[in-house]
């Protein structure tokens, strides 16, 4: 009986070993001049979390190998308990699903085709803070989007604390690409001109390189407001907290 129990324990350990080896570590850093409520979520499997980050603070999370539909984002203008935010809101401190636009997204899928990680920065849900998404191992390049998009946002896309993507505002096939192939628009070009490495509309990968790869098992850092504090005209509502309700 004892030998059988030991074998079962060893087999279970060996089953978990590849996941522990290939799990990715993400360090999330707040370089903004204001508090953000960092959040992450995956759809395969469904999981997530959240944490308040004051200026200069960081938070480290581990994501299991094979995770898909991954997103990391900053919530801004939140109530003190993190349950009600102006941008990126998910309705809870510990997000178990995606946030509400506008929010800049770090997206990822781990250990996919040929054991590669796929990652990108997406503005398809709009923009609220600048972002750098870079590997800390694996020898591959990082990506960044840190333009003054909130301060320069077209009038029809403006939102408290951020800049909406036109699909969010208008919801038409032209902007959301829901009726087959679609092309860039003047509004998507606004985002593309400022952040060429980021998704500016849902089918941006048809004409641009916006998805990047690293070997499976690579670790990453996601930095909000890379390079330091935002200029005052970009802060908008981002630094203002709501009262807890």
């Amino acid at each position: 009986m004892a030998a059988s129990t030991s074998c079962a324990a060893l087999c279970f350990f060996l089953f978990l070993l590849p996941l522990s080896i290939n799990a990715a570590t993400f360090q999330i850093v707040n370089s903004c001049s204001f508090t953000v409520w960092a959040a992450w979520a995956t759809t395969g499997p469904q999981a997530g979390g959240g944490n308040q980050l004051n200026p200069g603070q960081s938070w480290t999370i581990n994501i299991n190998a094979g995770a898909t539909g991954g997103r990391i984002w900053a919530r801004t203008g939140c109530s003190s308990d993190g349950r009600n935010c102006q941008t990126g809101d998910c309705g809870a401190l510990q997000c178990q699903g995606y946030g509400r636009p506008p929010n800049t997204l770090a997206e990822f899928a781990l250990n996919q085709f040929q054991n590669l990680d796929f990652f990108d920065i997406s503005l398809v849900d709009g923009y609220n803070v600048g972002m750098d998404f870079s590997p800390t191992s694996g020898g591959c390049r990082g990506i960044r989007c840190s333009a003054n998009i909130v301060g320069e946002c077209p009038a029809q896309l403006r939102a408290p604390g951020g800049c909406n993507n036109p699909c969010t505002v208008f919801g038409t096939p032209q902007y959301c690409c829901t009726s087959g192939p679609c092309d860039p628009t003047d509004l998507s070009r606004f985002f593309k001109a400022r952040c060429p490495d980021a998704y500016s509309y849902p089918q941006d990968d048809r004409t641009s390189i916006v998805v990047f790869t690293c070997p499976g098992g690579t670790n990453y850092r996601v930095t909000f407001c890379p390079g330091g504090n935002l200029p005052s005209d970009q802060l908008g509502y981002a630094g203002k907290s709501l009262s807890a309700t």
Side-chain angles (χ1 to χ4, degrees):
M1 179 67 70
S4 176
T5 302
S6 298
C7 179
L10 177 60
C11 291
F12 181 71
F13 172 77
L14 291 175
F15 172 77
L16 290 180
L17 187 58
L19 293 181
S20 65
I21 291 174
N22 292 320
T25 297
F26 289 78
Q27 182 188 31
I28 306 171
V29 180
N30 180 20
S31 291
C32 301
S33 62
F34 47 86
T35 298
V36 302
W37 282 257
W40 70 274
T42 58
T43 57
Q46 184 171 356
N51 198 20
Q52 177 179 324
L53 293 180
N54 295 324
Q57 289 187 323
S58 64
W59 176 40
T60 300
I61 60 175
N62 295 309
I63 308 292
N64 282 341
T68 58
R71 290 183 175 182
I72 294 172
W73 69 97
R75 293 170 286 174
T76 65
C78 298
S79 58
S80 59
D81 59 4
R83 295 178 182 272
N84 183 18
C85 304
Q86 288 181 323
T87 69
D89 185 48
C90 70
L93 174 62
Q94 300 290 333
C95 293
Q96 296 301 307
Y98 293 158
R100 178 170 52 85
N103 52 335
T104 316
L105 300 173
E107 299 184 316
F108 58 88
L110 305 179
N111 308 91
Q112 299 299 301
F113 179 68
Q114 295 184 342
N115 196 35
L116 291 173
D117 295 345
F118 293 81
F119 67 102
D120 65 80
I121 292 176
S122 175
L123 307 183
V124 172
D125 276 4
Y127 179 104
N128 61 344
V129 300
M131 178 180 287
D132 184 281
F133 190 1
S134 293
T136 58
S137 63
C140 34
R141 64 161 289 192
I143 48 179
R144 176 178 290 208
C145 174
S146 58
N148 185 16
I149 288 178
V150 174
E152 299 173 355
C153 185
Q156 62 267 51
L157 302 182
R158 290 176 187 166
C163 184
N164 277 315
N165 189 276
C167 176
T168 301
V169 175
F170 302 109
T172 61
Q174 176 188 13
Y175 295 115
C176 300
C177 301
T178 53
S179 297
C182 63
D183 297 318
T185 64
D186 288 344
L187 291 175
S188 72
R189 292 187 186 99
F190 163 80
F191 293 97
K192 196 64 177 178
R194 288 155 180 80
C195 291
D197 284 341
Y199 267 94
S200 60
Y201 76 105
Q203 293 185 10
D204 201 352
D205 53 359
R206 293 175 60 228
T207 57
S208 303
I209 298 175
V210 290
V211 179
F212 300 85
T213 61
C214 280
T218 296
N219 298 318
Y220 300 90
R221 179 184 297 112
V222 175
T223 303
F224 304 134
C225 306
N229 296 336
L230 295 171
S232 59
D233 65 345
Q234 190 175 345
L235 289 175
Y237 292 84
K240 300 180 181 180
S241 296
L242 302 173
S243 298
T245 56

